[in-house]
PDB file of all heavy atoms in Angstrom:
ATOM      1  N   GLU A 213       0.809  -1.217   0.000  1.00 95.00           N
ATOM      2  CA  GLU A 213       0.000   0.000   0.000  1.00 95.00           C
ATOM      3  C   GLU A 213       0.848   1.274   0.000  1.00 95.00           C
ATOM      4  O   GLU A 213       0.337   2.376  -0.215  1.00 95.00           O
ATOM      5  CB  GLU A 213      -0.933   0.019   1.206  1.00 95.00           C
ATOM      6  CG  GLU A 213      -2.028  -1.053   1.193  1.00 95.00           C
ATOM      7  CD  GLU A 213      -1.501  -2.455   1.470  1.00 95.00           C
ATOM      8  OE1 GLU A 213      -0.408  -2.595   2.062  1.00 95.00           O
ATOM      9  OE2 GLU A 213      -2.182  -3.424   1.065  1.00 95.00           O
ATOM     10  N   ASP A 214       2.138   1.140   0.250  1.00 96.00           N
ATOM     11  CA  ASP A 214       3.042   2.286   0.222  1.00 96.00           C
ATOM     12  C   ASP A 214       3.509   2.613  -1.199  1.00 96.00           C
ATOM     13  O   ASP A 214       4.205   3.612  -1.409  1.00 96.00           O
ATOM     14  CB  ASP A 214       4.260   2.037   1.105  1.00 96.00           C
ATOM     15  CG  ASP A 214       3.904   1.882   2.565  1.00 96.00           C
ATOM     16  OD1 ASP A 214       3.081   2.673   3.067  1.00 96.00           O
ATOM     17  OD2 ASP A 214       4.449   0.961   3.222  1.00 96.00           O
ATOM     18  N   THR A 215       3.149   1.783  -2.151  1.00 97.00           N
ATOM     19  CA  THR A 215       3.534   2.015  -3.539  1.00 97.00           C
ATOM     20  C   THR A 215       2.953   3.323  -4.045  1.00 97.00           C
ATOM     21  O   THR A 215       1.738   3.548  -3.974  1.00 97.00           O
ATOM     22  CB  THR A 215       3.060   0.853  -4.433  1.00 97.00           C
ATOM     23  OG1 THR A 215       3.757  -0.335  -4.045  1.00 97.00           O
ATOM     24  CG2 THR A 215       3.337   1.144  -5.897  1.00 97.00           C
ATOM     25  N   ALA A 216       3.828   4.206  -4.530  1.00 98.00           N
ATOM     26  CA  ALA A 216       3.396   5.525  -4.986  1.00 98.00           C
ATOM     27  C   ALA A 216       4.605   6.279  -5.522  1.00 98.00           C
ATOM     28  O   ALA A 216       5.747   5.839  -5.354  1.00 98.00           O
ATOM     29  CB  ALA A 216       2.778   6.322  -3.832  1.00 98.00           C
ATOM     30  N   VAL A 217       4.334   7.417  -6.123  1.00 98.00           N
ATOM     31  CA  VAL A 217       5.391   8.379  -6.407  1.00 98.00           C
ATOM     32  C   VAL A 217       5.505   9.283  -5.182  1.00 98.00           C
ATOM     33  O   VAL A 217       4.500   9.824  -4.712  1.00 98.00           O
ATOM     34  CB  VAL A 217       5.093   9.213  -7.663  1.00 98.00           C
ATOM     35  CG1 VAL A 217       6.190  10.256  -7.873  1.00 98.00           C
ATOM     36  CG2 VAL A 217       4.960   8.310  -8.883  1.00 98.00           C
ATOM     37  N   TYR A 218       6.705   9.418  -4.688  1.00 98.00           N
ATOM     38  CA  TYR A 218       6.955  10.225  -3.493  1.00 98.00           C
ATOM     39  C   TYR A 218       7.566  11.564  -3.904  1.00 98.00           C
ATOM     40  O   TYR A 218       8.545  11.604  -4.651  1.00 98.00           O
ATOM     41  CB  TYR A 218       7.877   9.483  -2.538  1.00 98.00           C
ATOM     42  CG  TYR A 218       7.166   8.396  -1.785  1.00 98.00           C
ATOM     43  CD1 TYR A 218       6.749   7.230  -2.431  1.00 98.00           C
ATOM     44  CD2 TYR A 218       6.868   8.531  -0.429  1.00 98.00           C
ATOM     45  CE1 TYR A 218       6.061   6.242  -1.749  1.00 98.00           C
ATOM     46  CE2 TYR A 218       6.184   7.537   0.264  1.00 98.00           C
ATOM     47  CZ  TYR A 218       5.778   6.394  -0.397  1.00 98.00           C
ATOM     48  OH  TYR A 218       5.101   5.419   0.278  1.00 98.00           O
ATOM     49  N   TYR A 219       6.966  12.622  -3.388  1.00 98.00           N
ATOM     50  CA  TYR A 219       7.392  13.978  -3.723  1.00 98.00           C
ATOM     51  C   TYR A 219       7.912  14.704  -2.492  1.00 98.00           C
ATOM     52  O   TYR A 219       7.345  14.591  -1.409  1.00 98.00           O
ATOM     53  CB  TYR A 219       6.220  14.789  -4.281  1.00 98.00           C
ATOM     54  CG  TYR A 219       5.664  14.280  -5.579  1.00 98.00           C
ATOM     55  CD1 TYR A 219       4.618  13.367  -5.594  1.00 98.00           C
ATOM     56  CD2 TYR A 219       6.183  14.717  -6.794  1.00 98.00           C
ATOM     57  CE1 TYR A 219       4.092  12.904  -6.788  1.00 98.00           C
ATOM     58  CE2 TYR A 219       5.665  14.264  -7.994  1.00 98.00           C
ATOM     59  CZ  TYR A 219       4.623  13.350  -7.984  1.00 98.00           C
ATOM     60  OH  TYR A 219       4.107  12.892  -9.174  1.00 98.00           O
ATOM     61  N   CYS A 220       8.958  15.452  -2.706  1.00 98.00           N
ATOM     62  CA  CYS A 220       9.484  16.347  -1.691  1.00 98.00           C
ATOM     63  C   CYS A 220       8.986  17.758  -2.006  1.00 98.00           C
ATOM     64  O   CYS A 220       8.895  18.144  -3.184  1.00 98.00           O
ATOM     65  CB  CYS A 220      11.012  16.304  -1.713  1.00 98.00           C
ATOM     66  SG  CYS A 220      11.818  17.397  -0.551  1.00 98.00           S
ATOM     67  N   ALA A 221       8.679  18.527  -0.957  1.00 98.00           N
ATOM     68  CA  ALA A 221       8.171  19.886  -1.156  1.00 98.00           C
ATOM     69  C   ALA A 221       8.740  20.803  -0.087  1.00 98.00           C
ATOM     70  O   ALA A 221       9.105  20.350   1.005  1.00 98.00           O
ATOM     71  CB  ALA A 221       6.647  19.888  -1.089  1.00 98.00           C
ATOM     72  N   ALA A 222       8.795  22.096  -0.413  1.00 97.00           N
ATOM     73  CA  ALA A 222       9.343  23.077   0.520  1.00 97.00           C
ATOM     74  C   ALA A 222       8.393  24.261   0.674  1.00 97.00           C
ATOM     75  O   ALA A 222       7.730  24.669  -0.279  1.00 97.00           O
ATOM     76  CB  ALA A 222      10.704  23.577   0.027  1.00 97.00           C
ATOM     77  N   GLN A 223       8.349  24.750   1.897  1.00 95.00           N
ATOM     78  CA  GLN A 223       7.581  25.960   2.189  1.00 95.00           C
ATOM     79  C   GLN A 223       8.470  26.896   3.007  1.00 95.00           C
ATOM     80  O   GLN A 223       9.384  26.461   3.696  1.00 95.00           O
ATOM     81  CB  GLN A 223       6.305  25.633   2.975  1.00 95.00           C
ATOM     82  CG  GLN A 223       6.537  25.049   4.330  1.00 95.00           C
ATOM     83  CD  GLN A 223       5.300  24.876   5.179  1.00 95.00           C
ATOM     84  OE1 GLN A 223       5.415  24.630   6.359  1.00 95.00           O
ATOM     85  NE2 GLN A 223       4.114  24.991   4.627  1.00 95.00           N
ATOM     86  N   ASP A 224       8.174  28.180   2.932  1.00 91.00           N
ATOM     87  CA  ASP A 224       8.940  29.152   3.706  1.00 91.00           C
ATOM     88  C   ASP A 224       8.816  28.859   5.199  1.00 91.00           C
ATOM     89  O   ASP A 224       7.750  28.436   5.663  1.00 91.00           O
ATOM     90  CB  ASP A 224       8.452  30.564   3.419  1.00 91.00           C
ATOM     91  CG  ASP A 224       8.786  30.998   2.003  1.00 91.00           C
ATOM     92  OD1 ASP A 224       9.757  30.454   1.433  1.00 91.00           O
ATOM     93  OD2 ASP A 224       8.078  31.864   1.460  1.00 91.00           O
ATOM     94  N   TRP A 225       9.852  29.107   5.953  1.00 91.00           N
ATOM     95  CA  TRP A 225       9.879  28.730   7.361  1.00 91.00           C
ATOM     96  C   TRP A 225       8.753  29.364   8.170  1.00 91.00           C
ATOM     97  O   TRP A 225       8.265  28.761   9.120  1.00 91.00           O
ATOM     98  CB  TRP A 225      11.231  29.094   7.975  1.00 91.00           C
ATOM     99  CG  TRP A 225      11.486  30.565   8.097  1.00 91.00           C
ATOM    100  CD1 TRP A 225      12.016  31.392   7.142  1.00 91.00           C
ATOM    101  CD2 TRP A 225      11.213  31.395   9.225  1.00 91.00           C
ATOM    102  NE1 TRP A 225      12.077  32.670   7.604  1.00 91.00           N
ATOM    103  CE2 TRP A 225      11.609  32.710   8.882  1.00 91.00           C
ATOM    104  CE3 TRP A 225      10.680  31.158  10.480  1.00 91.00           C
ATOM    105  CZ2 TRP A 225      11.480  33.765   9.753  1.00 91.00           C
ATOM    106  CZ3 TRP A 225      10.551  32.222  11.365  1.00 91.00           C
ATOM    107  CH2 TRP A 225      10.945  33.514  10.989  1.00 91.00           C
ATOM    108  N   VAL A 226       8.286  30.542   7.765  1.00 90.00           N
ATOM    109  CA  VAL A 226       7.241  31.233   8.520  1.00 90.00           C
ATOM    110  C   VAL A 226       5.870  30.597   8.342  1.00 90.00           C
ATOM    111  O   VAL A 226       4.934  30.915   9.082  1.00 90.00           O
ATOM    112  CB  VAL A 226       7.153  32.718   8.125  1.00 90.00           C
ATOM    113  CG1 VAL A 226       8.434  33.436   8.485  1.00 90.00           C
ATOM    114  CG2 VAL A 226       6.826  32.881   6.654  1.00 90.00           C
ATOM    115  N   ASP A 227       5.747  29.722   7.359  1.00 90.00           N
ATOM    116  CA  ASP A 227       4.443  29.163   7.030  1.00 90.00           C
ATOM    117  C   ASP A 227       4.105  27.891   7.811  1.00 90.00           C
ATOM    118  O   ASP A 227       3.052  27.294   7.595  1.00 90.00           O
ATOM    119  CB  ASP A 227       4.371  28.857   5.531  1.00 90.00           C
ATOM    120  CG  ASP A 227       4.388  30.121   4.699  1.00 90.00           C
ATOM    121  OD1 ASP A 227       3.906  31.159   5.204  1.00 90.00           O
ATOM    122  OD2 ASP A 227       4.887  30.075   3.562  1.00 90.00           O
ATOM    123  N   TRP A 228       4.971  27.489   8.720  1.00 92.00           N
ATOM    124  CA  TRP A 228       4.731  26.250   9.451  1.00 92.00           C
ATOM    125  C   TRP A 228       3.492  26.337  10.335  1.00 92.00           C
ATOM    126  O   TRP A 228       3.286  27.314  11.050  1.00 92.00           O
ATOM    127  CB  TRP A 228       5.936  25.914  10.333  1.00 92.00           C
ATOM    128  CG  TRP A 228       5.756  24.676  11.145  1.00 92.00           C
ATOM    129  CD1 TRP A 228       5.271  24.574  12.421  1.00 92.00           C
ATOM    130  CD2 TRP A 228       6.052  23.342  10.730  1.00 92.00           C
ATOM    131  NE1 TRP A 228       5.268  23.265  12.806  1.00 92.00           N
ATOM    132  CE2 TRP A 228       5.737  22.485  11.809  1.00 92.00           C
ATOM    133  CE3 TRP A 228       6.575  22.789   9.556  1.00 92.00           C
ATOM    134  CZ2 TRP A 228       5.919  21.107  11.739  1.00 92.00           C
ATOM    135  CZ3 TRP A 228       6.759  21.419   9.493  1.00 92.00           C
ATOM    136  CH2 TRP A 228       6.429  20.591  10.571  1.00 92.00           C
ATOM    137  N   SER A 229       2.686  25.284  10.299  1.00 91.00           N
ATOM    138  CA  SER A 229       1.623  25.106  11.275  1.00 91.00           C
ATOM    139  C   SER A 229       1.324  23.619  11.345  1.00 91.00           C
ATOM    140  O   SER A 229       1.567  22.876  10.396  1.00 91.00           O
ATOM    141  CB  SER A 229       0.357  25.883  10.907  1.00 91.00           C
ATOM    142  OG  SER A 229      -0.317  25.281   9.828  1.00 91.00           O
ATOM    143  N   ALA A 230       0.793  23.200  12.464  1.00 87.00           N
ATOM    144  CA  ALA A 230       0.561  21.771  12.704  1.00 87.00           C
ATOM    145  C   ALA A 230      -0.433  21.187  11.715  1.00 87.00           C
ATOM    146  O   ALA A 230      -0.375  20.012  11.385  1.00 87.00           O
ATOM    147  CB  ALA A 230       0.074  21.554  14.131  1.00 87.00           C
ATOM    148  N   THR A 231      -1.355  21.989  11.241  1.00 88.00           N
ATOM    149  CA  THR A 231      -2.331  21.494  10.263  1.00 88.00           C
ATOM    150  C   THR A 231      -1.967  21.946   8.860  1.00 88.00           C
ATOM    151  O   THR A 231      -2.013  21.162   7.907  1.00 88.00           O
ATOM    152  CB  THR A 231      -3.744  21.980  10.616  1.00 88.00           C
ATOM    153  OG1 THR A 231      -3.728  23.405  10.767  1.00 88.00           O
ATOM    154  CG2 THR A 231      -4.222  21.347  11.920  1.00 88.00           C
ATOM    155  N   GLY A 232      -1.592  23.197   8.729  1.00 88.00           N
ATOM    156  CA  GLY A 232      -1.300  23.731   7.405  1.00 88.00           C
ATOM    157  C   GLY A 232      -0.165  23.015   6.710  1.00 88.00           C
ATOM    158  O   GLY A 232      -0.193  22.816   5.489  1.00 88.00           O
ATOM    159  N   SER A 233       0.837  22.605   7.457  1.00 94.00           N
ATOM    160  CA  SER A 233       2.006  21.967   6.848  1.00 94.00           C
ATOM    161  C   SER A 233       1.746  20.536   6.423  1.00 94.00           C
ATOM    162  O   SER A 233       2.647  19.863   5.940  1.00 94.00           O
ATOM    163  CB  SER A 233       3.202  22.048   7.800  1.00 94.00           C
ATOM    164  OG  SER A 233       3.589  23.397   7.989  1.00 94.00           O
ATOM    165  N   THR A 234       0.517  20.073   6.593  1.00 94.00           N
ATOM    166  CA  THR A 234       0.130  18.758   6.079  1.00 94.00           C
ATOM    167  C   THR A 234      -0.624  18.875   4.758  1.00 94.00           C
ATOM    168  O   THR A 234      -1.014  17.862   4.188  1.00 94.00           O
ATOM    169  CB  THR A 234      -0.749  17.997   7.081  1.00 94.00           C
ATOM    170  OG1 THR A 234      -2.001  18.669   7.213  1.00 94.00           O
ATOM    171  CG2 THR A 234      -0.082  17.885   8.446  1.00 94.00           C
ATOM    172  N   ARG A 235      -0.816  20.070   4.278  1.00 95.00           N
ATOM    173  CA  ARG A 235      -1.585  20.297   3.051  1.00 95.00           C
ATOM    174  C   ARG A 235      -0.651  20.611   1.882  1.00 95.00           C
ATOM    175  O   ARG A 235       0.242  21.437   1.998  1.00 95.00           O
ATOM    176  CB  ARG A 235      -2.567  21.450   3.257  1.00 95.00           C
ATOM    177  CG  ARG A 235      -3.553  21.194   4.379  1.00 95.00           C
ATOM    178  CD  ARG A 235      -4.646  22.243   4.405  1.00 95.00           C
ATOM    179  NE  ARG A 235      -5.541  22.053   5.553  1.00 95.00           N
ATOM    180  CZ  ARG A 235      -5.684  22.938   6.526  1.00 95.00           C
ATOM    181  NH1 ARG A 235      -5.018  24.066   6.498  1.00 95.00           N
ATOM    182  NH2 ARG A 235      -6.515  22.694   7.517  1.00 95.00           N
ATOM    183  N   ALA A 236      -0.904  19.990   0.764  1.00 96.00           N
ATOM    184  CA  ALA A 236      -0.051  20.174  -0.400  1.00 96.00           C
ATOM    185  C   ALA A 236      -0.057  21.629  -0.868  1.00 96.00           C
ATOM    186  O   ALA A 236       0.968  22.146  -1.313  1.00 96.00           O
ATOM    187  CB  ALA A 236      -0.494  19.246  -1.530  1.00 96.00           C
ATOM    188  N   ASN A 237      -1.181  22.299  -0.748  1.00 95.00           N
ATOM    189  CA  ASN A 237      -1.252  23.674  -1.246  1.00 95.00           C
ATOM    190  C   ASN A 237      -0.514  24.658  -0.353  1.00 95.00           C
ATOM    191  O   ASN A 237      -0.457  25.858  -0.663  1.00 95.00           O
ATOM    192  CB  ASN A 237      -2.700  24.102  -1.454  1.00 95.00           C
ATOM    193  CG  ASN A 237      -3.529  24.088  -0.188  1.00 95.00           C
ATOM    194  OD1 ASN A 237      -2.989  23.918   0.906  1.00 95.00           O
ATOM    195  ND2 ASN A 237      -4.828  24.247  -0.319  1.00 95.00           N
ATOM    196  N   ALA A 238       0.045  24.184   0.759  1.00 95.00           N
ATOM    197  CA  ALA A 238       0.854  25.049   1.617  1.00 95.00           C
ATOM    198  C   ALA A 238       2.307  25.098   1.182  1.00 95.00           C
ATOM    199  O   ALA A 238       3.096  25.835   1.766  1.00 95.00           O
ATOM    200  CB  ALA A 238       0.768  24.565   3.063  1.00 95.00           C
ATOM    201  N   TYR A 239       2.660  24.307   0.179  1.00 96.00           N
ATOM    202  CA  TYR A 239       4.044  24.210  -0.274  1.00 96.00           C
ATOM    203  C   TYR A 239       4.197  24.861  -1.642  1.00 96.00           C
ATOM    204  O   TYR A 239       3.433  24.585  -2.554  1.00 96.00           O
ATOM    205  CB  TYR A 239       4.488  22.746  -0.329  1.00 96.00           C
ATOM    206  CG  TYR A 239       4.602  22.146   1.045  1.00 96.00           C
ATOM    207  CD1 TYR A 239       3.483  21.671   1.715  1.00 96.00           C
ATOM    208  CD2 TYR A 239       5.831  22.066   1.687  1.00 96.00           C
ATOM    209  CE1 TYR A 239       3.580  21.139   2.983  1.00 96.00           C
ATOM    210  CE2 TYR A 239       5.940  21.526   2.959  1.00 96.00           C
ATOM    211  CZ  TYR A 239       4.802  21.067   3.608  1.00 96.00           C
ATOM    212  OH  TYR A 239       4.904  20.550   4.865  1.00 96.00           O
ATOM    213  N   ARG A 240       5.204  25.690  -1.727  1.00 94.00           N
ATOM    214  CA  ARG A 240       5.416  26.443  -2.960  1.00 94.00           C
ATOM    215  C   ARG A 240       6.293  25.701  -3.964  1.00 94.00           C
ATOM    216  O   ARG A 240       6.131  25.842  -5.162  1.00 94.00           O
ATOM    217  CB  ARG A 240       6.049  27.800  -2.635  1.00 94.00           C
ATOM    218  CG  ARG A 240       6.300  28.681  -3.845  1.00 94.00           C
ATOM    219  CD  ARG A 240       6.996  29.960  -3.447  1.00 94.00           C
ATOM    220  NE  ARG A 240       6.238  30.741  -2.468  1.00 94.00           N
ATOM    221  CZ  ARG A 240       6.640  31.932  -2.016  1.00 94.00           C
ATOM    222  NH1 ARG A 240       7.764  32.455  -2.464  1.00 94.00           N
ATOM    223  NH2 ARG A 240       5.914  32.592  -1.142  1.00 94.00           N
ATOM    224  N   TYR A 241       7.247  24.930  -3.449  1.00 96.00           N
ATOM    225  CA  TYR A 241       8.237  24.307  -4.323  1.00 96.00           C
ATOM    226  C   TYR A 241       8.123  22.787  -4.251  1.00 96.00           C
ATOM    227  O   TYR A 241       7.943  22.223  -3.163  1.00 96.00           O
ATOM    228  CB  TYR A 241       9.648  24.734  -3.911  1.00 96.00           C
ATOM    229  CG  TYR A 241       9.823  26.224  -3.814  1.00 96.00           C
ATOM    230  CD1 TYR A 241       9.875  26.853  -2.577  1.00 96.00           C
ATOM    231  CD2 TYR A 241       9.923  27.004  -4.954  1.00 96.00           C
ATOM    232  CE1 TYR A 241      10.038  28.221  -2.469  1.00 96.00           C
ATOM    233  CE2 TYR A 241      10.084  28.382  -4.863  1.00 96.00           C
ATOM    234  CZ  TYR A 241      10.139  28.982  -3.624  1.00 96.00           C
ATOM    235  OH  TYR A 241      10.292  30.334  -3.533  1.00 96.00           O
ATOM    236  N   TRP A 242       8.291  22.146  -5.409  1.00 97.00           N
ATOM    237  CA  TRP A 242       8.127  20.697  -5.503  1.00 97.00           C
ATOM    238  C   TRP A 242       9.237  20.080  -6.346  1.00 97.00           C
ATOM    239  O   TRP A 242       9.718  20.681  -7.303  1.00 97.00           O
ATOM    240  CB  TRP A 242       6.782  20.353  -6.148  1.00 97.00           C
ATOM    241  CG  TRP A 242       5.625  20.665  -5.266  1.00 97.00           C
ATOM    242  CD1 TRP A 242       4.999  21.873  -5.117  1.00 97.00           C
ATOM    243  CD2 TRP A 242       4.965  19.761  -4.385  1.00 97.00           C
ATOM    244  NE1 TRP A 242       3.982  21.780  -4.193  1.00 97.00           N
ATOM    245  CE2 TRP A 242       3.940  20.488  -3.722  1.00 97.00           C
ATOM    246  CE3 TRP A 242       5.126  18.415  -4.070  1.00 97.00           C
ATOM    247  CZ2 TRP A 242       3.084  19.895  -2.785  1.00 97.00           C
ATOM    248  CZ3 TRP A 242       4.285  17.839  -3.139  1.00 97.00           C
ATOM    249  CH2 TRP A 242       3.276  18.569  -2.508  1.00 97.00           C
ATOM    250  N   GLY A 243       9.598  18.854  -5.972  1.00 97.00           N
ATOM    251  CA  GLY A 243      10.477  18.063  -6.798  1.00 97.00           C
ATOM    252  C   GLY A 243       9.690  17.291  -7.840  1.00 97.00           C
ATOM    253  O   GLY A 243       8.458  17.365  -7.885  1.00 97.00           O
ATOM    254  N   GLN A 244      10.404  16.524  -8.658  1.00 97.00           N
ATOM    255  CA  GLN A 244       9.780  15.771  -9.739  1.00 97.00           C
ATOM    256  C   GLN A 244       9.217  14.431  -9.266  1.00 97.00           C
ATOM    257  O   GLN A 244       8.424  13.814  -9.988  1.00 97.00           O
ATOM    258  CB  GLN A 244      10.790  15.533 -10.856  1.00 97.00           C
ATOM    259  CG  GLN A 244      11.215  16.816 -11.557  1.00 97.00           C
ATOM    260  CD  GLN A 244      10.050  17.523 -12.203  1.00 97.00           C
ATOM    261  OE1 GLN A 244       9.306  16.948 -12.984  1.00 97.00           O
ATOM    262  NE2 GLN A 244       9.862  18.801 -11.879  1.00 97.00           N
ATOM    263  N   GLY A 245       9.633  13.985  -8.112  1.00 98.00           N
ATOM    264  CA  GLY A 245       9.117  12.742  -7.559  1.00 98.00           C
ATOM    265  C   GLY A 245      10.033  11.558  -7.820  1.00 98.00           C
ATOM    266  O   GLY A 245      10.826  11.561  -8.771  1.00 98.00           O
TER     267      GLY A 245
END
């Protein structure tokens, strides 16, 4: 069930929150996977 494309993403340090940082739309930068 872990089979997938895994992506790394980055958000500005000020944008951290316990809930927000679990959402894809909170990240500005993405790798190709």
Side-chain angles (χ1 to χ4, degrees):
E213 293 73 21
D214 296 316
T215 295
V217 177
Y218 284 71
Y219 296 91
C220 178
Q223 64 173 193
D224 291 335
W225 68 274
V226 296
D227 292 331
W228 178 268
S229 73
T231 53
S233 295
T234 67
R235 300 189 184 117
N237 61 9
Y239 291 82
R240 181 183 301 183
Y241 307 104
W242 290 84
Q244 294 299 306

